[in-house]
Amino acid sequence: MSTPPTAAAALATGDVVEVEVGPVAHGGFCVARHEGRVVFVRHALPGERIRAQITEAREGHRFVRADCIEVLEPSPQRVTPPCPYAAPGLCGGCDFQHADLGYQRDLKASVVREQFSRLAKLDVEVSVEPLPGDRDGLGWRTRVEFAVDETGRAGLRGSRSHEIIAVDSCLIADPRVLATGVLTQDWSGESAVDVAAPSEGEAVMVSVPSGEADVPVLTERVAAQSFSGAFEVSARGFWQVHPGAAATFVDTVTGMLAPQPGETALDLYAGVGLFAAALAQRVGESGKVVAVESDTGAVASAAGNLAAYPSVAMVRARVDDAFGVPRAHRSGPARNRAQRSRKLRRHPLLPLRADLVVLDPPRTGAGRDVAAQVAALRPRAIAYVACDPAALARDTAFLAEAGYHLAELRAFDAFPMTHHVECIALFERTSA
């Protein structure tokens, strides 16, 4: 009698297996197989033969996770990681330090193509472009959140773990972050400490929870080819962490949309108003920009950042709420779910028609309902800024259902040494 596949492939945490590594997968892993069981392995590269130690094996799952602990046949693109903490069992912040920087971008492009093929049923040609100011993929991260261990020392978390790894340095952090002395101070009594190094002024440290009551406001200056301006941002608020990102993304979005004087534009998930300001400058006083953002702190910052643009209207709301999308699918007590199932009233500042839309949603994406509402505005162009290619690919399919096709796609290495990649997509109305 043959052994059942599940029994043959039984693996437990701590087991060591020898595997041949297959393609890269979304999330910083590569795919391997052991006796029919899928193994998602970190610190490996496609084509390598390795020994991997199982780090996660859950009953009933068809896959396990593992770390490469020995390379038997290395890839030609393998390099020695510049950081000693970029190794199995240590810091989880960097996924690809063991790969040549150019090859890292090839891997990310492969992930983008695979997500579009699988989720949007599209074959896309895309390469991952470096951002201006890149220095061998190091020293770029201007905002870092450090966890604090039981001894009061700041460190970084392991991959898919709450374990805090004590570190002496972080090579992807902006040198100004480390110059604050965050890694040498005693943070006893705190759970975390955020460090932000803005484009103007000194780097600041904000501890959590004691620093939550008085968070500094920083100035970030954007000097793009198409737009320039200064933005006030909370030290704990969202801002692009790569110093070349904001200007590059503004130029890309405005280049794709080509805003014209007098047009109406929506900036959805507007943050502190970066894209809204750039759009307002282009559509002029005869045009209109409606910016929608739910975060209270971001809205407060945006109000000041956009005060010089009379054509901008700021809406503090969730994007789906602003469109009046029913919320029956959300979790919560039964009574609350019933209340949420009632159709919400569309926000009165949201126009019924728009010429242009910018979507810059969180990692989860915009979703089918928002995609449908955006399409119902019948814009001539939609620019979608995405930090997760899987969410973008899903929403590409939703926009296609609603009558909009992918017209252009670019990808940027806004997070070198990690698996993350920023994509900007242009959608246009599909002809009848």
Side-chain angles (χ1 to χ4, degrees):
M1 180 181 294
S2 61
T3 305
T6 53
L11 291 170
T13 301
D15 287 351
V16 176
V17 296
E18 183 176 318
V19 295
E20 185 169 331
V21 183
V24 66
H26 185 34
F29 296 85
C30 287
V31 181
R33 293 183 183 274
H34 177 73
E35 297 182 0
R37 191 86 173 269
V38 173
V39 181
F40 290 113
V41 58
R42 276 174 57 85
H43 299 108
L45 293 175
E48 293 185 328
R49 178 161 289 280
I50 65 167
R51 295 178 71 240
Q53 185 169 42
I54 308 303
T55 56
E56 291 182 40
R58 298 183 181 180
E59 187 176 352
H61 283 203
R62 293 181 296 175
F63 64 89
V64 296
R65 300 185 188 273
D67 241 333
C68 170
I69 59 173
E70 183 181 358
V71 180
L72 305 176
E73 296 177 14
S75 164
Q77 287 79 28
R78 177 173 282 275
V79 299
T80 301
C83 176
Y85 303 107
L90 296 179
C91 178
C94 290
D95 307 289
F96 292 140
Q97 282 202 21
H98 57 287
D100 171 81
L101 185 57
Y103 188 56
Q104 293 182 31
R105 292 170 182 151
D106 291 342
L107 293 175
K108 295 180 185 185
S110 296
V111 169
V112 174
R113 287 192 292 268
E114 192 274 335
Q115 295 302 309
F116 270 83
S117 175
R118 185 171 63 87
L119 298 172
K121 310 305 179 188
L122 292 177
D123 293 327
V124 297
E125 287 296 326
V126 66
S127 61
V128 175
E129 308 169 40
L131 288 178
D134 181 78
R135 301 189 300 272
D136 298 324
L138 302 175
W140 54 268
R141 192 173 186 95
T142 58
R143 290 177 177 241
V144 183
E145 180 179 336
F146 295 94
V148 177
D149 66 18
E150 66 277 3
T151 70
R153 184 174 177 181
L156 298 167
R157 295 195 185 275
S159 174
R160 298 176 56 82
S161 170
H162 294 294
E163 181 183 4
I164 300 172
I165 309 298
V167 297
D168 295 318
S169 184
C170 174
L171 293 187
I172 65 171
D174 186 301
R176 296 173 297 159
V177 169
L178 304 177
T180 61
V182 61
L183 295 176
T184 60
Q185 294 191 30
D186 184 354
W187 297 101
S188 296
E190 311 292 350
S191 60
V193 56
D194 290 350
V195 186
S199 58
E200 288 190 357
E202 300 294 323
V204 300
M205 297 183 289
V206 182
S207 58
V208 181
S210 64
E212 289 185 325
D214 187 19
V215 179
V217 174
L218 308 178
T219 299
E220 298 284 2
R221 186 164 295 279
V222 177
Q225 294 180 358
S226 60
F227 168 84
S228 63
F231 295 83
E232 290 191 348
V233 189
S234 165
R236 299 199 67 218
F238 174 79
W239 186 256
Q240 292 291 343
V241 295
H242 194 295
T248 300
F249 298 167
V250 164
D251 280 339
T252 303
V253 166
T254 55
M256 287 179 171
L257 294 179
Q260 302 299 312
E263 289 192 312
T264 296
L266 262 65
D267 180 13
L268 304 180
Y269 314 94
V272 299
L274 173 62
F275 294 117
L279 290 169
Q281 187 180 82
R282 297 287 287 272
V283 303
E285 293 188 8
S286 62
K288 181 179 181 180
V289 178
V290 179
V292 182
E293 172 58 47
S294 63
D295 182 79
T296 303
V299 171
S301 294
N305 295 333
L306 300 171
Y309 303 98
S311 61
V312 178
M314 192 76 206
V315 172
R316 184 171 74 84
R318 288 174 55 109
V319 169
D320 44 5
D321 286 352
F323 278 116
V325 172
R327 302 170 70 177
H329 61 281
R330 301 175 197 173
S331 60
R335 185 180 65 179
N336 291 343
R337 288 200 303 271
Q339 292 172 346
R340 290 168 179 164
S341 67
R342 294 198 300 268
K343 185 173 177 62
L344 301 174
R345 180 175 298 177
R346 183 189 181 94
H347 197 284
L349 289 180
L350 235 58
L352 297 177
R353 293 289 302 273
D355 300 292
L356 306 170
V357 176
V358 175
L359 283 164
D360 187 8
R363 191 169 302 279
T364 51
R368 175 181 269 112
D369 290 336
V370 169
Q373 292 293 328
V374 167
L377 299 169
R378 296 187 61 77
R380 65 169 177 82
I382 302 166
Y384 191 129
V385 183
C387 57
D388 188 315
L392 173 58
R394 284 193 295 267
D395 286 346
T396 296
F398 297 150
L399 285 167
E401 292 175 358
Y404 280 78
H405 69 275
L406 178 68
E408 186 179 353
L409 175 65
R410 294 179 68 183
F412 299 94
D413 198 11
F415 313 94
M417 302 296 173
T418 78
H419 76 271
H420 299 289
V421 59
E422 195 87 6
C423 295
I424 302 181
L426 172 66
F427 295 91
E428 295 176 343
R429 198 159 51 234
T430 303
S431 58

